Amino acid sequence: RAKARGKACYEIFNTDMHVQIVERLQLENDLRRAIERQEFQVYYQPIVSLKTGSITGFEALVRWLHPEQGIVFPQEFMPIAQETGLIIPIDEWVLREACRQTKQWQEEFLPESTNLDEQPLGISINLCSLRFSQQKLLEEINQVLQETGLDAKSLKLEITESVIMDNGENATTMLKQLRNLGIELAIDDFGTGYSSLGRLHHFPINGLKIDQSFVSGRGAEEGNLHIVETIVTLSRKLGVDVTAEGVETPEQLQILRDLKCEYGQGYFFSKPLDSKAAKALIITNPQW
Ligand code: C2E
Ligand code: MG
Ligand code: MG
Ligand code: MG
């Protein structure tokens, strides 16, 4: 009996593996075709100043508009895109498209007020480990800024702690070179990685983004509240700004305001929107 069951298990295992391999190859093929046919779209999620309640910029989040499956989210294709290196052409396109779009919005919606400290709309873009380790990234960013006419100050790159830590000593050099371009840098998903706090103040960064797991859902519970408070305090010590991800309720917003967290992002303000809907949101000029 054991032998029979063993054989059955073996066959099921084999079939499962076969299905997995076929699905993987299918996804990889679809992804290659998607790049050729430009099936990607940039979605934009507003980042809100908690002091003024207005939109200061957007985070660019890629979506794949699959011809049969509809919208495919990054979590479904990022792992294979990273393994195969297909992430590189995808991210190059996202950078160029988001910078182009942001420059266009800046020109369309020049602040009418003469308020001197009013910054033009900014754009935040996620950077994967593969690109962070490539020297040619610097040249590419320069070229995109020139082509699109976007001011370097309007561009912020989001890099996770693990991307920085994976790149060892080279990371600090790369961060400095990126900062020398005049762009800004933020550490994404802060609190979930394994940053050495000792190295943190050597990194030439401009901001920390508190991971949504400490903010959304049960995030407001006491333990997480202390983590958020600690990260806000840490950012002040480091002289960098702080953004809370995953703001979903007015209660969470109030807590963040009480803690003097500078920026917020999350479904309470808006989900990521396609460019048309994002533009409509800019026009309504919401004040939270
Ligand atoms: P991330 O950079 O931390 O982006 C924030 C994610 O949280 C986004 O998921 C966003 O839709 C989601 N989110 C926003 N507000 C809320 C909220 O209130 N509650 C909850 N539960 N979630 C919220 P998305 O768009 O699915 O992206 C997932 C991740 O994929 C991103 O995490 C980022 O690491 C990666 N990613 C997205 N776009 C790109 C890209 O163009 N290039 C690269 N390399 N990575 C990307
Ligand atoms: Mg991000
Ligand atoms: Mg994040
Ligand atoms: Mg994340």
Side-chain angles (χ1 to χ4, degrees), residues 13 34 45 57 75 88-89 104 106 123 155 164 207 223 227 235 269:
F13 176 70
Q45 189 179 35
Q75 67 190 47
I88 298 211
Q104 189 185 323
Q106 286 180 350
I123 187 75
L155 175 61
I164 296 179
I227 294 176
S235 72
F269 304 113

Side-chain angles (χ1 to χ4, degrees), residues 45 59 62-63 74 91 126 188-189 212 245-246 248 266-267 272:
Q45 189 179 35
E59 176 172 0
V62 74
R63 300 289 181 261
D91 271 5
N126 294 287
D188 204 355
D189 303 344
Q212 60 191 40
E245 306 189 89
E248 292 177 346
Y267 298 159

Side-chain angles (χ1 to χ4, degrees), residues 16 33 37 55 57 62 64 70 95 108 121 133 149 186-187 220 224 230 244:
D16 279 357
R33 191 202 50 196
R37 299 191 189 169
I55 296 174
V62 74
W64 174 9
L95 174 71
E108 253 175 295
L121 219 52
S133 61
I187 299 190
N224 287 327
T230 304

Side-chain angles (χ1 to χ4, degrees), residues 30-268:
D30 281 7
L31 212 48
R32 284 185 202 279
R33 191 202 50 196
I35 292 165
E36 276 165 33
R37 299 191 189 169
Q38 306 194 2
E39 293 171 356
F40 296 97
Q41 198 167 336
V42 181
Y43 271 54
Y44 299 88
Q45 189 179 35
I47 299 173
V48 175
S49 159
L50 301 189
K51 205 169 150 198
T52 67
S54 44
I55 296 174
T56 61
F58 291 91
E59 176 172 0
L61 296 158
V62 74
R63 300 289 181 261
W64 174 9
L65 282 104
H66 193 287
E68 288 118 41
Q69 293 170 32
I71 295 187
V72 185
F73 288 85
Q75 67 190 47
E76 286 176 56
F77 64 90
M78 277 298 159
I80 287 190
Q82 305 224 11
E83 279 172 44
T84 54
L86 292 172
I87 186 68
I88 298 211
I90 298 173
D91 271 5
E92 281 173 4
W93 178 80
V94 169
L95 174 71
R96 186 166 269 107
E97 174 58 17
C99 287
R100 184 201 63 76
Q101 181 62 82
T102 304
K103 176 67 181 179
Q104 189 185 323
W105 283 336
Q106 286 180 350
E107 285 177 343
E108 253 175 295
F109 305 105
L110 273 180
E112 265 123 61
S113 70
T114 50
N115 184 353
L116 280 177
D117 56 37
E118 195 161 331
Q119 296 283 333
L121 219 52
I123 187 75
S124 296
I125 290 175
N126 294 287
L127 196 67
C128 69
S129 183
L130 219 50
R131 295 181 85 218
F132 183 71
S133 61
Q134 291 184 324
Q135 198 64 22
K136 71 168 191 195
L137 175 68
L138 298 164
E139 180 53 38
E140 182 200 322
I141 291 172
N142 244 334
Q143 207 176 328
V144 166
L145 292 174
Q146 263 179 30
E147 270 174 38
T148 59
L150 188 76
D151 190 341
K153 284 202 290 285
S154 301
L155 175 61
K156 187 177 268 188
L157 295 185
E158 298 189 357
I159 306 165
T160 61
E161 294 167 78
S162 47
V163 167
I164 296 179
M165 297 303 156
D166 285 350
N167 281 276
E169 285 307 310
N170 294 336
T172 314
T173 315
M174 189 55 168
L175 292 172
K176 277 187 189 138
Q177 287 173 315
L178 286 166
R179 287 284 289 131
N180 285 341
L181 297 178
I183 67 174
E184 300 212 332
L185 302 173
I187 299 190
D188 204 355
D189 303 344
F190 190 77
T192 59
Y194 45 99
S195 280
S196 116
L197 290 183
R199 281 179 72 197
L200 200 55
H201 76 276
H202 294 296
F203 297 145
I205 52 159
N206 309 84
L208 299 178
K209 293 189 79 170
I210 306 173
D211 191 70
Q212 60 191 40
S213 60
F214 304 120
V215 180
S216 67
R218 294 149 59 95
E221 285 174 10
E222 211 173 328
N224 287 327
L225 200 59
H226 287 136
I227 294 176
V228 172
E229 194 171 7
T230 304
I231 299 175
V232 172
T233 307
L234 176 65
S235 72
R236 209 147 285 140
K237 293 247 157 72
L238 293 169
V240 302
D241 61 43
V242 60
T243 306
E245 306 189 89
V247 185
E248 292 177 346
T249 67
E251 292 77 23
Q252 290 159 358
L253 173 59
Q254 190 53 53
I255 290 169
L256 292 164
R257 281 201 158 117
D258 292 343
L259 293 174
K260 302 273 184 294
C261 178
E262 281 141 310
Y263 302 98
Q265 186 180 345
Y267 298 159
F268 176 72

